[in-house]
Amino acid sequence: MTTVFQDVAVALVLNGQSDPHRAYGRRQREIIDLADTEAAGREITNWPDYRPTPLVSLPGLADSLGFDRLWCKDEGQRFRLKSFKALGGAYAVLHHLQRIAGAAAGQPVSAASLVAGEARPLVRDVVVACASDGNHGAAVAWGARMFGCRSVIYLPRHVGEARRDAIAALGARIVAVDGVYDEAVARAAADCRAQGWISLPDTSAGGDNETPNLVMRGYSLLAGEILDQLPKGTLPTHIFLQGGVGGFAAAVVAHLWQSLGPRRPKVIVVEPERAACLAASAAAARPTRVGGALDTVMGCLACGEVSRVAWEILQDGVDAFVTISDDAIAPTMLLLAEGVEGDPPIIAGESGAAGMAALLAIAVRPKVARAIGLAPDSRILTICTEGAIDPASFKRMTGRPPLACGAGRSG
Ligand SMILES: Cc1ncc(COP(=O)(O)O)c(C=O)c1O
């Protein structure tokens, strides 16, 4: 394990702006506050098949790395979409449909009446649209189907067939964009303006932030689940969060910051080295775009531009930004699937494994580990943000089908 992870390229940007005693601010509360998270939770926990995803304890891996505790929240078990993204995109669809249906009916329309079909005639001609690296589009298409409207999803060049077919199977019309994620975002926004469709971006370039805020409020439910699931009286000292445009990390940070104040864990945001717009923004102390092909096996993190609303939270709430090279991912996926020393297996997709991959690479670099305060008494939380959504890709990466490989004990 050591040799593999020693070869991984790791770069660290420590964030001079973070301060555990800084209060969660007024501007940040406008984007997402605890009442917003509770409102999202009241809706989402009533959707068919909702249940919290497991917080898996990994004592074998913690021991082998020399840390006190290690957990992995397994979002591969989130609804049937296998990604936390289901929480955000579908919540935004619901919010907009309730607004439209409520205006048409002249009275509030419940999510239940949309799910049950009674209110569907009010929304069935509505079209919601977004760009996606895969999972946000699946979430919007799934929400459109659950609540009864139509969806159009814009996929950038690098999104593979399996993800595309999964979104189409949810009833969406797919538009293939011959460009990177940020180009798909621009194309989706332009078509929405021209067609009168509802645009549901998971990222904000400034301007109207309503939908990116809603999306993050939906994600933040998972941070509340984590606080409920941790052993009583035990908090993590560190949390590793994947970064694409930053919305996911910002949602989790916002919730932990407000709920725990100075007791919140140190936050480490993890990005692919070739799509590290958050690390670049931290280094420049302002939102900074990165260009190029953004090619990485961590396809859902292949974003060149930060979400402005996410940055409002991340700029003060993140302790360190880490970038890793692609060679960290396959061994991490395999290690998680096999389970170390009887740990329960976790089936992670490429982007889902990135947080743990960064931890494994840092654990064999004492200087980097010290710089972020990792020590033998550390209690570390990682999030597997997606399962094996593309089974063929999982097999290519690990040499195995996406089934639990190890003997692993459960719990
Ligand atoms: C599996 C997975 N992990 C992490 C992320 C990062 O989320 P964000 O783009 O909000 O930073 C994404 C985004 O699509 C994702 O699909």
Side-chain angles (χ1 to χ4, degrees):
M1 180 161 93
T2 307
T3 41
V4 179
F5 287 99
Q6 222 125 40
D7 290 342
V8 171
V10 177
L12 178 72
V13 179
L14 289 172
N15 183 14
Q17 300 246 116
S18 79
D19 168 2
H21 295 285
R22 191 194 303 271
Y24 191 72
R26 188 184 56 80
R27 172 75 193 115
Q28 291 154 335
R29 268 178 217 291
E30 283 166 12
I31 297 167
I32 180 169
D33 73 8
L34 289 180
D36 298 320
T37 301
E38 279 161 22
R42 274 195 300 278
E43 281 299 346
I44 295 169
T45 55
N46 280 310
W47 293 353
D49 300 329
Y50 167 79
R51 56 172 193 279
T53 54
L55 181 68
V56 183
S57 179
L58 300 173
L61 184 52
D63 260 11
S64 81
L65 297 174
F67 299 123
D68 183 28
R69 303 292 300 267
L70 176 58
W71 297 274
C72 182
K73 171 91 165 153
D74 184 5
E75 290 297 308
Q77 300 192 42
R78 182 65 71 185
F79 293 109
R80 40 171 297 220
L81 294 198
K82 299 188 180 165
S83 148
F84 75 95
K85 283 266 164 181
L87 299 170
Y91 180 59
V93 171
L94 172 62
H95 181 94
H96 286 281
L97 293 188
Q98 282 185 302
R99 175 176 51 74
I100 292 164
Q107 60 182 18
V109 168
S110 69
S113 69
L114 288 167
V115 172
E118 298 138 29
R120 284 187 183 219
L122 301 172
V123 297
R124 77 171 147 233
D125 293 329
V126 173
V127 178
V128 292
C130 70
S132 172
D133 278 331
N135 291 326
H136 179 58
V140 167
W142 180 68
R145 200 173 69 169
M146 179 161 50
F147 301 118
C149 73
R150 291 154 59 202
S151 61
V152 181
I153 309 299
Y154 292 74
L155 299 178
R157 183 164 49 214
H158 69 82
V159 175
E161 228 171 86
R163 287 182 189 270
R164 189 195 61 205
D165 292 350
I167 298 171
L170 290 164
R173 177 154 83 76
I174 305 292
V175 178
V177 176
D178 186 20
V180 297
Y181 177 71
D182 310 284
E183 290 166 289
V185 170
R187 169 84 190 279
D191 284 5
C192 282
R193 276 193 300 275
Q195 305 286 342
W197 297 340
I198 311 262
S199 169
L200 297 182
D202 64 351
T203 187
S204 130
D208 180 7
N209 296 321
E210 185 190 14
T211 299
N213 289 353
L214 285 167
V215 167
M216 291 197 298
R217 292 168 190 178
Y219 299 160
S220 65
L221 173 72
L222 77 87
E225 290 177 355
I226 290 172
L227 293 180
D228 290 341
Q229 290 168 320
L230 284 164
K232 221 172 162 21
T234 305
L235 288 175
T237 56
H238 295 76
I239 180 166
F240 283 69
L241 298 171
Q242 288 86 327
V245 299
F248 163 68
V252 175
V253 167
H255 193 77
L256 298 179
W257 192 346
Q258 292 173 88
S259 306
L260 302 175
R263 293 183 305 141
R264 69 185 184 273
K266 275 189 195 301
V267 177
I268 297 96
V269 165
V270 178
E271 293 174 285
E273 63 179 349
R274 286 197 291 269
C277 58
L278 296 164
S281 301
R286 68 185 146 76
T288 299
R289 191 173 193 283
V290 297
L294 310 177
D295 59 319
T296 165
V297 295
M298 295 165 257
C300 300
L301 310 182
C303 309
E305 255 180 273
V306 305
S307 167
R308 297 303 170 115
V309 282
W311 187 247
E312 292 277 354
I313 293 164
L314 298 177
Q315 65 183 342
D316 296 332
V318 173
D319 296 277
F321 294 82
V322 170
T323 65
I324 53 172
S325 49
D326 278 3
D327 50 354
I329 298 302
T332 304
M333 289 165 69
L334 187 57
L335 179 141
L336 284 171
E338 291 187 325
V340 173
E341 305 281 342
D343 281 347
I346 292 175
I347 303 299
E350 290 85 341
S351 302
M356 183 67 83
L359 171 65
L360 296 170
I362 289 173
V364 295
R365 287 171 174 74
K367 248 170 98 177
V368 182
R370 264 198 308 279
I372 59 169
L374 284 174
D377 61 355
S378 293
R379 299 179 297 277
I380 304 159
L381 180 63
T382 61
I383 301 181
C384 167
T385 51
E386 65 169 359
I389 290 167
D390 183 342
S393 171
F394 185 95
K395 178 126 198 275
R396 261 195 317 278
M397 294 292 283
T398 64
R400 294 160 185 263
L403 302 168
C405 318
R409 57 179 178 248
S410 62

